[in-house]
Amino acid sequence: MSKKIDIQERNQQFLKEPGVEDYRRIHDDNLVQLRKKKRNEHLAKRRAFGTDRATQAEDSPEMVSDAIRFDISSVPEELAKYERQLVNPDLSPTNRLNTLISLIISSTSMDLLKLSVRTLRLVLTYDETNPCKYIGDSGISAKLIQCVLYPDKDLQYEAVWCITNLSSGEDKVVDELLRLNVIEALSKVFNENPSSDIANQAVWALGNIAGGSQEQRDKVVNCGIGEWIIKQISTSQRMTGTSLNTMVWTLANLLRGKTLQQASLFQEFLSISLKLLCLDNEDILSDTLWGFAYAMDGEVGRIQPVLNTGLGMRIVQLVGSESYKIKLPALRVIGNILLGDELQTQTIIDYGVIDQLVPLVNSQNKLLKKDAAWCISNICSGSVSQAEAILAHAGIASIVALLRDPDFSIKLEACYIFVNSTNRANSNLIINLLQYELIEELCQLIDHQDSRIVILSLQTIWNILKHSKAYMIFHNENTDRALPRLDEVGGISKIESLQGHRNYDIYQKATEVIKEFLGGEEVSQNAYQQGNFEF
């Protein structure tokens, strides 16, 4: 059974509530949206050597200007000789910063520019108020871009660093930089100085711009930085440390989205990915995995090329990493691969992914638990043997326990796990689930406020009762294994009460259960033909 993503169908279903047969497909479609939403937890922008802007609350310019800490001690003595007003004790930090900005804009002296731009860089980097927007709104961007184009390398470096931090700020500031052709200026830097610290800083700035929006990313992709980075990584034998970290992180930002240029870039990214995933560097491993997660998000056509590189085994290994920074993106990549067909899913299963996933359902980290449940539910929507591999696992009790998880999204994933697996697996495995109180857990959910959970729970109960009847008949037993348990926990009365439910799909599914299993009639031959009754 193929698990494909069809966004157009999802949009068509948006205005009407779907039936049970639609939930698996729509579930996969919703996961694409969920991945897009969740991937933003991985920082798209980084302030150079300062506090991450992405982790701070957005302050108004007035609040920032009142809190700026640019005092006299921050003014270099050599700079004070040029402009005594900078060390005027009566000047407020904000006015001192305004004086520095005016000095930079009006200066034509190379020595003065180097001193003043370096001082501005220190303010942008270390001032805890993060005055990027305040400085960006000052009109200084044009002068900084001019400084990037000057031949003096020290001035270039300081100016690019300032731009790196400005580009970590709000879209308004970045839009102004783009209007002033900052990408062209930064492209000139990394092309003319490929092995320098200036180039690394330019790559960082471009990574920040690419992390802002799809439009900004496309502009950065078009300047050729992705191909340049891949060439640097593939040809360098000694590239390590900050430079490589920055390049890989920028690549990850470039791999968000589905443009034609980005599709070509993904193919080139594959050529260096094995080299990157073999490095013992937490940041590089994390960003490489995020690059895969972004590029494969909703792109099932990219699953096979990834598997063809032999990277599947390494990614499965990284799911077992002790580092959360590595484990989470590795899970995202595995989940996207498991959206593929049965053969692709089996490839990952053969690498031992189930043994890596099941322990994570006990994780105290909600994101890890949620993604592990998502991966398991995708496996259960595959072939019969794949669903049975989950139900036969020694950790199945922990998977059943997901049905009582307080987090709604985890609970919903658990419902998908069992509605799919009980529809596919053999009756022995289904009956074995009863010892883990699966019936009891489902009965707690059939009066849940969310209609999806109710319908999926009813369908799972229907599947279990169907298998239980078949098991009883095959083994010539006198007692049904599941029905008494359902009655003991009040499940029968709950299901009967749903016949008056205002949601038609819930009413219909409850009626089907009652008619097929609770009405005293024999189970139809047709019902048995829908399952996999192997003993």
Side-chain angles (χ1 to χ4, degrees):
M1 172 183 175
S2 295
K3 304 181 287 294
K4 69 176 182 178
I5 301 165
D6 194 329
I7 298 300
Q8 184 176 4
E9 287 188 20
R10 177 177 182 268
N11 291 336
Q12 291 171 352
Q13 291 286 338
F14 184 75
L15 295 179
K16 63 177 182 178
E17 188 169 21
V20 173
E21 67 277 5
D22 298 316
Y23 272 109
R24 180 68 250 174
R25 172 181 48 74
I26 294 174
H27 173 53
D28 289 342
D29 294 343
N30 282 333
L31 282 171
V32 178
Q33 303 302 321
L34 185 62
R35 300 283 82 73
K36 289 178 181 175
K37 194 172 182 181
K38 286 203 284 189
R39 70 187 181 190
N40 290 330
E41 293 152 4
H42 179 55
L43 298 179
K45 297 189 176 188
R46 295 174 177 173
R47 187 179 174 204
F49 305 116
T51 305
D52 257 320
R53 184 59 176 167
T55 64
Q56 297 179 346
E58 291 295 335
D59 297 327
S60 68
E62 292 78 12
M63 292 174 62
V64 172
S65 64
D66 290 341
I68 287 172
R69 300 176 182 178
F70 183 36
D71 55 27
I72 293 175
S73 63
S74 303
V75 179
E77 185 176 338
E78 292 179 76
L79 182 59
K81 295 177 181 178
Y82 284 98
E83 179 54 74
R84 299 303 301 173
Q85 191 68 6
L86 288 171
V87 290
N88 182 348
D90 296 327
L91 210 60
S92 69
T94 301
N95 286 334
R96 182 172 292 106
L97 179 57
N98 290 336
T99 301
L100 175 64
I101 291 170
S102 298
L103 184 63
I104 293 172
I105 292 174
S106 62
S107 177
T108 56
S109 164
M110 196 64 66
D111 290 338
L112 177 55
L113 273 175
K114 281 192 284 187
L115 278 172
S116 55
V117 172
R118 181 177 186 278
T119 303
L120 181 68
R121 185 261 292 177
L122 293 174
V123 174
L124 278 165
T125 302
Y126 296 111
D127 195 308
E128 294 179 3
T129 63
N130 195 356
C132 290
K133 185 177 187 304
Y134 183 83
I135 294 174
D137 288 344
S138 69
I140 199 173
S141 297
K143 188 56 176 276
L144 290 174
I145 292 174
Q146 287 180 17
C147 291
V148 170
L149 299 174
Y150 287 160
D152 188 285
K153 300 303 181 187
D154 292 334
L155 178 58
Q156 277 187 341
Y157 182 66
E158 299 294 351
V160 173
W161 197 335
C162 286
I163 289 171
T164 300
N165 281 330
L166 289 177
S167 62
S168 74
E170 295 183 1
D171 286 344
K172 180 182 177 181
V173 175
V174 178
D175 287 342
E176 176 65 7
L177 289 169
L178 291 173
R179 188 185 67 81
L180 296 167
N181 298 319
V182 68
I183 292 178
E184 288 79 355
L186 294 173
S187 299
K188 189 172 186 292
V189 168
F190 69 72
N191 280 316
E192 293 181 355
N193 309 274
S195 302
S196 66
D197 290 338
I198 307 175
N200 181 57
Q201 204 65 51
V203 170
W204 191 335
L206 288 166
N208 274 343
I209 295 170
S213 68
Q214 181 171 326
E215 181 182 0
Q216 292 172 5
R217 184 213 59 216
D218 290 347
K219 291 179 179 178
V220 175
V221 169
N222 288 336
C223 82
I225 182 63
E227 292 78 3
W228 182 88
I229 290 174
I230 289 170
K231 180 180 178 181
Q232 294 300 308
I233 294 175
S234 61
T235 58
S236 174
Q237 300 298 320
R238 296 181 297 175
M239 185 177 294
T240 57
T242 303
S243 178
L244 185 56
N245 289 359
T246 302
M247 288 185 180
V248 177
W249 170 76
T250 297
L251 266 181
N253 271 348
L254 296 178
L255 287 166
R256 296 166 180 256
K258 302 174 177 65
T259 63
L260 181 62
Q261 295 90 335
Q262 189 262 7
S264 173
L265 182 61
F266 175 69
Q267 294 300 319
E268 297 186 55
F269 176 64
L270 282 176
S271 68
I272 61 168
S273 53
L274 184 59
K275 176 180 180 179
L276 296 175
L277 288 179
C278 289
L279 296 175
D280 184 19
N281 181 303
E282 183 183 53
D283 289 331
I284 290 173
L285 288 174
S286 176
D287 288 328
T288 301
L289 289 167
W290 278 118
F292 276 112
Y294 298 151
M296 298 176 68
D297 190 5
E299 291 286 334
V300 293
R302 294 180 179 175
I303 295 173
Q304 196 58 48
V306 171
L307 294 177
N308 289 344
T309 65
L311 289 169
M313 180 178 291
R314 177 56 176 160
I315 297 170
V316 169
Q317 290 173 350
L318 292 173
V319 172
S321 170
E322 295 182 0
S323 167
Y324 171 78
K325 287 178 65 176
I326 295 172
K327 190 186 295 284
L328 180 61
L331 270 176
R332 298 286 169 88
V333 179
I334 292 298
N336 283 325
I337 293 175
L338 293 173
L339 285 171
D341 60 34
E342 291 175 6
L343 290 176
Q344 292 165 339
T345 295
Q346 191 60 47
T347 299
I348 294 300
I349 290 176
D350 291 343
Y351 290 145
V353 75
I354 294 177
D355 287 337
Q356 298 281 23
L357 293 173
V358 174
L360 291 177
V361 303
N362 295 315
S363 174
Q364 297 301 307
N365 184 285
K366 185 171 71 173
L367 287 177
L368 292 178
K369 181 186 286 190
K370 184 188 303 183
D371 275 31
W374 170 54
C375 290
I376 292 170
S377 71
N378 281 337
I379 293 173
C380 287
S381 67
S383 68
V384 170
S385 63
Q386 289 164 1
E388 289 179 345
I390 296 296
L391 296 189
H393 195 276
I396 187 62
S398 297
I399 301 176
V400 173
L402 292 175
L403 290 166
R404 74 176 82 104
D405 196 278
D407 184 270
F408 171 79
S409 58
I410 294 174
K411 192 188 300 289
L412 184 60
E413 291 294 348
C415 288
Y416 282 117
I417 289 172
F418 289 104
V419 77
N420 283 307
S421 59
T422 56
N423 186 52
R424 287 168 170 78
N426 71 67
S427 295
N428 281 336
L429 286 173
I430 305 302
I431 296 303
N432 184 60
L433 288 175
L434 300 181
Q435 67 177 300
Y436 303 111
E437 301 187 342
L438 178 58
I439 288 282
E440 290 79 352
E441 296 295 346
L442 292 168
C443 287
Q444 295 297 316
L445 298 177
I446 56 179
D447 53 4
H448 195 277
Q449 61 183 0
D450 185 86
S451 62
R452 291 170 295 176
I453 285 183
V454 176
I455 294 171
L456 292 169
S457 299
L458 286 170
Q459 181 63 54
T460 306
I461 290 172
W462 197 96
N463 293 342
I464 293 171
L465 292 176
K466 179 180 64 174
H467 280 280
S468 183
K469 281 287 186 183
Y471 186 92
M472 181 180 68
I473 294 171
F474 186 87
H475 290 279
N476 199 26
E477 296 182 350
N478 296 322
T479 305
D480 189 292
R481 298 290 186 102
L483 201 55
R485 299 180 74 112
L486 183 66
D487 190 29
E488 286 172 10
V489 296
I492 292 178
S493 60
K494 282 187 175 183
I495 293 172
E496 288 174 342
S497 70
L498 292 177
Q499 292 180 100
H501 201 283
R502 62 183 180 181
N503 181 298
Y504 178 76
D505 287 331
I506 292 177
Y507 151 77
Q508 186 178 47
K509 183 51 61 179
T511 301
E512 287 176 6
V513 174
I514 292 168
K515 181 179 178 180
E516 195 72 51
F517 302 106
L518 308 180
E521 302 176 2
E522 290 186 7
V523 181
S524 67
Q525 185 66 29
N526 181 55
Y528 292 121
Q529 292 173 351
Q530 297 177 31
N532 174 34
F533 304 114
E534 300 174 3
F535 302 96

